[in-house]
Amino acid sequence: MDGMMQRFEMIEGEMLSIPNGEISVEQALDLHRRYAKELDFTFPSPLNGNCYQVRTRGVVGLMPFGQGALLEINPQFNSCLFISILELVYQLPRISKDTAQVKIGNIFELWVEFLASKILQKAKRGLFMGYKTKEERRPWVKGRMLVDRFASKAYPNCRFSERTYDVLENRIIAAALHGLKRYTFKRESCRKKVLKARMEFNGVKYFGIRPDDCDLVHYHRLNREYKLMHAMCVPLLRQEGPIMASKGDEMQWPAFTVHMPTLFERFCAEYLSLMLGAGIRLHSQFQTRLKGSQGLSFRLDMALFSASREQPLAVADVKYKFDGAPLESDVQQVVAYAVQLGVSLAYLIYPTTKIKQTFEVGPVQVQTLGFDLSAIELESAGRYIRDELKKLIMKSLDSS
C-alpha cells in the first residue's frame, strides 16, 4: 500500500485511541462494519476523550479500511517466533531465516512472496487441468454430433470435452492473487513475483471464490502440490473485501488476519505431537460422548494416550492469555474433561511461563504449563512444557 496511506499501529491486547478528526466518519464506519467480529470499536464521546477506541478480539494482522487507511495489529510476542509458529501450523518450509524483529506487514510480504514462488514453480512444471463440456457448431464433427432436424445452419452441432485450466484448484489461487492487485509492496522482489504469478492465471475465473471452497478440493497424486498453496491462500481469501458476485465487481484491498487463540491451540497440538515421543499419542479436538445423554459430547483440545495400550493418560486445555491466574471456569472445564476420560492428570496450557500453579480437585491433579513465547526459537520456547509433560506422564505410566 502506498506511502500516502494512513497507518495506525497497535499491539494485540492493548487499546488504540484515534483522536476524532484523524479519520473521517466514513472511514470509522467502514472499519466498524468490515471488522465487527474482529474488533471492539467505540465511537468518540466525552467519556473516552473524544477518541475512537479500538481493541482486538484475539486477532493480529493488516486491516485496510475506508479510503487509504490501514490498521496494523502486531502480536505481543517475538515476531520471529510468530513466523515459526505459522510455519509449523501450516506445514510450511522455512519462510525466512532472518531473526530480526519485524512487524506484521513484513510477515505478510514474506508470506505472499513465498506463496508466489511456489505458484511460479508449479506453473513451470505445469498447472493442473480438468475437462469442460462444450457445445457449439463446428465445420467438422468433434466429439458427439447432436442431430437437430430444425437446424438451418450448415455446420453440425457438436458436444465435446475440452481440457482447461479454469478449474477450482486454479480459481482459488487466482482469487487470492487478484486480491493483491491493489497492494503496493515495499519489497520489489515480492511485487515482481506476485505480478508474474498473476499473469500465469490469465483466463482463470477468480470471482465467487470463498475460503470454504478449499475444503471442496479432493487432493490426489495429480494435484497434491496444490494443498500447501491452498492452505496459504485461505488467510488471504478469508478477510478480503466483499466476495465478488460477478466479473465486474471490484474487490477491496485484502486484509490479512490471524486469530491468535486458534493459531496457538493448533500450534500446541502440532508441536507436542512432534515432541512427546513415540510412547505417547496426542489426539487434538478429541470428541467423547457423555454416557446416557442424547447426543451430548465433550470436545477436548487435546487428549493424551499411551501409544502401546491406547490407555488415556491426561487431558489438556489451551488458554491464550498472558497474565492472571486460572479462572474457576477453566478449572471446572478441564476437570470435567478428566473425569469424563477417566484420568487423574489435567493440564491448562498458556502462552507464558509466568502462570505456574498445581492443585487438586478431588481425584484430579490440575497443572498449569506454559510456552515461553518471549524466546526467539521454538526449541527454547517449548523446552519447559515438553520436559514437564514427559516427566509427569512418565511418572503416571510407572505408577499404573
Side-chain angles (χ1 to χ4, degrees):
M1 299 177 186
D2 58 41
M4 298 301 293
M5 170 169 282
Q6 286 180 282
R7 183 182 292 266
F8 301 93
E9 296 184 14
M10 63 182 297
I11 298 175
E12 62 161 329
E14 298 181 0
M15 179 178 288
L16 172 68
S17 294
I18 305 175
N20 189 12
E22 283 199 18
I23 59 175
S24 65
V25 175
E26 291 76 16
Q27 286 177 320
L29 291 173
D30 186 55
L31 179 64
H32 178 60
R33 176 186 59 81
R34 290 184 64 184
Y35 307 107
K37 294 181 180 180
E38 292 82 11
L39 301 174
D40 285 323
F41 193 86
T42 305
F43 286 87
S45 76
L47 298 177
N48 59 20
N50 203 30
C51 293
Y52 295 99
Q53 292 185 332
V54 182
R55 187 184 294 274
T56 69
R57 294 178 178 173
V59 298
V60 301
L62 303 175
M63 297 182 178
F65 63 96
Q67 292 296 320
L70 176 71
L71 177 61
E72 180 176 312
I73 308 169
N74 291 289
Q76 56 183 307
F77 58 89
N78 191 290
S79 62
C80 300
L81 191 63
F82 178 70
I83 295 176
S84 298
I85 290 174
L86 288 175
E87 292 167 349
L88 179 62
V89 169
Y90 285 93
Q91 301 294 305
L92 305 177
R94 193 73 181 268
I95 293 178
S96 174
K97 297 180 181 179
D98 190 1
T99 58
Q101 186 83 349
V102 295
K103 294 183 178 180
I104 195 71
N106 302 98
I107 295 173
F108 173 72
E109 292 202 12
L110 288 171
W111 181 281
V112 170
E113 185 172 4
F114 183 86
L115 172 61
S117 297
K118 286 293 181 183
I119 292 170
L120 290 173
Q121 291 172 14
K122 178 57 182 171
K124 188 175 182 179
R125 291 191 295 269
L127 297 175
F128 179 73
M129 298 181 71
Y131 286 92
K132 180 171 63 175
T133 300
K134 295 182 68 176
E135 187 175 317
E136 64 183 20
R137 297 189 180 277
R138 303 180 65 89
W140 60 86
V141 175
K142 183 176 182 180
R144 176 174 294 181
M145 185 174 69
L146 303 178
V147 178
D148 187 354
R149 60 181 176 176
F150 300 105
S152 58
K153 304 290 184 181
Y155 297 146
N157 196 20
C158 301
R159 180 183 296 146
F160 55 93
S161 295
E162 192 172 66
R163 296 191 73 189
T164 177
Y165 291 110
D166 192 17
V167 292
L168 182 59
E169 286 87 343
N170 294 325
R171 288 177 184 173
I172 291 170
I173 295 175
L177 291 173
H178 183 76
L180 301 169
K181 182 179 179 180
R182 297 174 61 187
Y183 193 96
T184 303
F185 294 96
K186 296 178 182 177
R187 297 163 61 214
E188 185 65 15
S189 61
C190 185
R191 185 192 68 81
K192 288 182 177 180
K193 285 183 180 179
V194 171
L195 178 60
K196 192 173 180 180
R198 281 186 52 226
M199 293 174 63
E200 295 288 346
F201 289 84
N202 284 338
V204 177
K205 297 176 183 176
Y206 52 79
F207 52 88
I209 294 296
R210 300 177 181 274
D212 294 341
D213 290 337
C214 294
D215 297 330
L216 303 178
V217 179
H218 172 64
Y219 298 101
H220 45 78
R221 66 180 183 87
L222 297 178
N223 69 352
R224 65 177 57 149
E225 291 178 284
Y226 280 80
K227 190 171 185 179
L228 169 61
M229 294 186 288
H230 288 168
M232 298 189 71
C233 286
V234 169
L236 303 179
L237 293 170
R238 184 174 292 132
Q239 288 296 336
E240 281 176 348
I243 297 297
M244 294 174 295
S246 64
K247 189 173 181 180
D249 290 344
E250 186 65 30
M251 180 179 282
Q252 297 183 26
W253 291 341
F256 176 74
T257 60
V258 178
H259 187 247
M260 293 304 296
T262 302
L263 180 71
F264 182 63
E265 180 183 320
R266 291 181 59 186
F267 160 69
C268 290
E270 292 287 347
Y271 181 84
L272 294 177
S273 294
L274 294 174
M275 297 298 175
L276 281 176
I280 302 170
R281 182 172 299 156
L282 185 147
H283 295 271
S284 62
Q285 296 300 305
F286 183 78
Q287 189 165 357
T288 172
R289 183 169 294 180
L290 303 184
K291 298 176 182 178
S293 68
Q294 297 295 324
L296 296 178
S297 62
F298 282 160
R299 185 180 294 275
L300 287 63
D301 286 350
M302 289 182 281
L304 290 84
F305 290 80
S306 167
S308 58
R309 293 174 289 177
E310 277 297 322
Q311 172 190 353
L313 302 175
V315 298
D317 202 49
V318 180
K319 303 297 179 185
Y320 187 72
K321 68 176 186 177
F322 287 82
D323 51 19
L327 299 177
E328 289 183 2
S329 58
D330 297 341
V331 177
Q332 292 166 356
Q333 183 182 26
V334 77
V335 168
Y337 291 164
V339 171
Q340 169 65 13
L341 214 56
V343 298
S344 59
L345 289 175
Y347 301 108
L348 289 169
I349 300 178
Y350 296 93
T352 175
T353 55
K354 295 179 180 178
I355 304 176
K356 293 183 179 180
Q357 291 192 29
T358 302
F359 42 86
E360 294 183 355
V361 181
V364 180
Q365 177 181 313
V366 180
Q367 169 95 22
T368 63
L369 299 172
F371 281 91
D372 182 12
L373 296 190
S374 62
I376 297 178
E377 298 178 348
L378 285 181
E379 175 64 26
S380 53
R383 184 180 296 115
Y384 168 73
I385 189 171
R386 183 186 66 242
D387 294 344
E388 285 296 313
L389 271 179
K390 282 186 176 180
K391 181 172 61 178
L392 291 169
I393 293 175
M394 289 301 114
K395 182 179 179 181
S396 174
L397 284 173
D398 293 339
S399 61
S400 62

